[in-house]
């Protein structure tokens, strides 16, 4: 299956934590006017509920993610 370019750059929330190289989790992403779930792979383990950024698509409803912290949520200082 081809890469899903529409999901790259989207923010999501992990429904199931990732295990780093030991296996994927599951991420819920707002895309195409709705929400969709994908298998989520990351270099490091990420816990359930983490906000993540989709950085790549592996096709077949699988994506690579990294931890995301919205810079606008940071306290001013």
């Amino acid at each position: 299956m081809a890469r899903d370019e529409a999901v790259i750059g989207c923010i999501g929330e992990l429904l199931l934590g990732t295990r780093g190289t030991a296996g994927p989790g599951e991420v819920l992403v707002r895309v195409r006017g709705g929400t969709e779930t994908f298998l989520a792979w990351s270099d490091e383990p990420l816990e359930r509920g983490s906000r993540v950024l989709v950085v790549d698509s592996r096709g077949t409803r699988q994506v690579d993610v990294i931890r995301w912290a919205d810079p606008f949520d940071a306290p001013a200082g």
Side-chain angles (χ1 to χ4, degrees):
M1 185 171 205
R3 288 170 38 109
D4 187 349
E5 301 288 334
V7 77
I8 298 171
C10 292
I11 306 298
E13 181 179 337
L14 290 179
L15 300 175
L16 295 172
T18 65
R19 295 178 288 146
T21 57
E26 184 177 28
V27 63
L28 180 66
V29 178
R30 284 198 169 117
V31 64
R32 291 182 272 275
T35 55
E36 299 181 27
T37 57
F38 297 84
L39 286 179
W41 294 87
S42 63
D43 289 339
E44 63 183 71
L46 300 171
E47 62 277 352
R48 178 181 175 210
S50 296
R51 289 185 69 193
V52 295
L53 173 67
V54 177
V55 294
D56 202 3
S57 169
R58 297 183 176 202
T60 63
R61 302 200 57 79
Q62 297 185 61
V63 295
D64 291 324
V65 299
I66 59 172
R67 186 178 308 275
W68 173 252
D70 191 331
F72 293 109
D73 289 343

